[in-house]
Amino acid sequence: MAAGLSRESQADTSKLMEEVLESENLKEALRRVKANAGAPGVDGMTVDRLADYLRENWPQLKEQLLSATYKPQPVRRVEIPKSGGGMRKLGIPTTVDRFVQQAMLQVLQERWDPTFSEHSYGFRPGRSAHQAVAKAQEYIQAGCNWVVDIDLEKFFDRVNHDVLMGRIAKRISDKRVLKLIRGFLNSGVLEDGLVSPTDEGTPQGGPLSPLLSNVLLDELDRELERRGHHFVRYADDCNIYLRSERAGQRVMESVKHFLSRKLKLKVNESKSAVARPEDRKFLGFSITSGNEVRRRIAPQALARFKDRIRELTRRTRGISIERMIEELRPYMVGWRNYFAFCQTPSILRALEGWLRRRLRCYIWKQWRRGKVRFEELRRRGIDIDFAATTAWSALGTWRLCHTKAVHRALSKAFFDSLSLPKLV
């Protein structure tokens, strides 16, 4: 945040609900909810029914919002696998609640985002994970070769509502908006047919939760700025960069105390550490220290990539190679768009080679018998003796698919012709 920029004041927020309900804001909220799609909530209403529902019921909904009598419905609990293992709990609001949250988000984010710290990168317009990683690399390049890697334990499930609402109340005077935000926080969770109350946490799955998390953790950012630390925060992932291990240990203890005392948050001891940057991962990357500071793909991210590719290229799938590549394409393109930010292209080239070898194994398995393999190799230009010794070889499939004959028959150009995405 630029020097001297003051926090959001309450002075011009007494009619905030009217801003939320302005026609253009509502149209944009409807457009975004429809674009984001998503599963239905506890009432079963799908996104494609939202516009018709609003046409019929908007006068009553608007009156409820203006009179502070609108009651959000419970969220529907779903679990999805975490990229690093385990399950992440999401709370899916009803479509109407998502629409109301989105309309609020658009007004509040425009007001609040300029007041957030320049060290905060998550869930903010015009900011990205790549920018956060690049800033971390700058600190390491400048000689901060130790990192205090802080992981907050079940952050989105453990947010203290009173602490959060206290921070929000400093920014908003419109009691209708304050009551509505509290209503979303306390709406309850439907799980296994039963509705449970929610007295802590901001359910992941609603449009408003990321902004609320930034409001709460802005307090941490201000404290770290006051202490003069070099740090980067992306959502609940915060890294502080220092010049010595001793300083790192001291900072870790003081930050844990601050989070516990001021924000009622707990640091996950097993996932937090004071270490060299290359020994930790930040947003999927690790950063080497020393003479040549470079961004690498973290080993955990590489392992997840290989696990997903193994799943998609199982030799027992029984589909054509063309269809398999079609199914690989969206995952590979998305992964490449993110991890091509690394500065180790040799790793990406090695992954490409490994993937092509997996696909060769799949095709070899499909050819099944020695006679078919011999004919396919010959058809692809392999001479008769070379084709024969390869087709009837006793080598295992993985080793065979690293031989010259199979490489030539199923070359890189062959996979290029099938539009297999590149990683480099």
Side-chain angles (χ1 to χ4, degrees), residues 131-340:
Q131 291 174 340
V133 173
K135 177 56 71 172
Q137 185 177 5
E138 280 184 34
Y139 292 141
I140 297 165
Q141 189 80 58
C144 298
N145 292 323
W146 288 88
V147 60
V148 178
D149 184 357
I150 296 173
D151 182 276
L152 296 174
E153 189 171 285
K154 296 182 178 178
F155 169 72
F156 285 94
D157 297 329
R158 298 281 175 83
V159 168
N160 182 288
H161 290 177
D162 291 336
V163 173
L164 173 59
M165 290 306 301
R167 271 54 181 181
I168 295 171
K170 292 177 181 177
R171 296 169 176 263
I172 293 177
S173 61
D174 191 328
K175 288 184 169 40
R176 297 166 299 179
V177 175
L178 291 171
K179 183 180 178 182
L180 185 54
I181 293 174
R182 174 73 84 163
F184 282 123
L185 293 174
N186 293 340
S187 62
V189 175
L190 177 67
E191 192 170 19
D192 298 326
L194 297 173
V195 175
S196 305
T198 46
D199 51 11
E200 64 178 1
T202 60
Q204 293 183 78
L208 205 51
S209 289
L211 178 64
L212 299 184
S213 71
N214 272 335
V215 169
L216 183 63
L217 290 175
D218 187 59
E219 192 94 359
L220 171 63
D221 298 340
R222 299 304 164 194
E223 177 64 15
L224 295 178
E225 286 176 350
R226 187 185 66 78
R227 298 181 187 185
H229 289 316
H230 298 306
F231 72 98
V232 180
R233 183 177 65 78
Y234 191 95
D236 57 334
D237 201 347
C238 183
N239 279 6
I240 307 166
Y241 296 90
L242 300 117
R243 294 181 180 272
S244 73
E245 183 179 16
R246 185 175 178 181
Q249 296 292 355
R250 186 175 65 249
V251 168
M252 173 68 87
E253 289 307 310
S254 64
V255 170
K256 278 162 56 177
H257 180 68
F258 173 83
L259 287 166
S260 173
R261 180 174 52 86
K262 285 287 247 182
L263 301 182
K264 311 298 181 189
L265 295 171
K266 186 178 179 182
V267 170
N268 187 324
E269 300 283 355
S270 65
K271 293 184 178 180
S272 302
V274 178
R276 294 288 191 182
E278 59 263 36
D279 296 328
R280 305 296 294 175
K281 69 178 177 67
F282 181 53
L283 304 175
F285 295 90
S286 60
I287 304 173
T288 62
S289 56
N291 293 331
E292 190 176 5
V293 177
R294 292 193 301 169
R295 300 184 295 270
R296 302 182 308 177
I297 303 172
Q300 301 93 321
L302 288 173
R304 287 195 297 271
F305 174 82
K306 286 192 165 186
D307 286 345
R308 180 63 176 146
I309 295 299
R310 287 189 185 101
E311 182 184 338
L312 291 170
T313 60
R314 290 191 320 273
R315 295 180 210 170
T316 56
R317 291 201 64 200
I319 60 175
S320 69
I321 189 66
E322 290 82 4
R323 181 175 168 193
M324 181 171 282
I325 289 174
E326 251 337 282
E327 293 182 8
L328 283 167
R329 184 171 293 112
Y331 176 72
M332 288 182 65
V333 169
W335 194 90
R336 178 190 67 198
N337 287 347
Y338 186 76
F339 284 105

Side-chain angles (χ1 to χ4, degrees), residues 16-17 20-21 58 61-62 64-73 96-97 99-105 108 165 168 172 174-187 208 212:
L16 205 56
M17 185 61 80
V20 171
L21 299 179
W58 180 242
L61 288 174
K62 182 178 181 180
Q64 290 170 10
L65 290 165
L66 287 171
S67 62
T69 57
Y70 180 88
K71 292 191 181 301
Q73 295 191 61
V96 175
D97 282 344
F99 167 71
V100 174
Q101 284 195 37
Q102 181 64 42
M104 292 176 65
L105 171 67
L108 295 178
M165 290 306 301
I168 295 171
I172 293 177
D174 191 328
K175 288 184 169 40
R176 297 166 299 179
V177 175
L178 291 171
K179 183 180 178 182
L180 185 54
I181 293 174
R182 174 73 84 163
F184 282 123
L185 293 174
N186 293 340
S187 62
L208 205 51
L212 299 184

Side-chain angles (χ1 to χ4, degrees), residues 26 29-54 58 61 70 72-76 91-103 184 205-207:
L26 295 174
L30 178 60
R31 186 190 70 77
R32 292 194 186 185
V33 170
K34 289 170 72 174
N36 291 336
V42 295
D43 61 356
M45 184 192 295
T46 56
V47 168
D48 56 8
R49 291 171 50 202
L50 178 59
D52 289 339
Y53 180 87
L54 292 175
W58 180 242
L61 288 174
Y70 180 88
Q73 295 191 61
V75 297
R76 182 169 64 87
I92 308 300
T94 65
T95 306
V96 175
D97 282 344
R98 286 210 296 275
F99 167 71
V100 174
Q101 284 195 37
Q102 181 64 42
F184 282 123

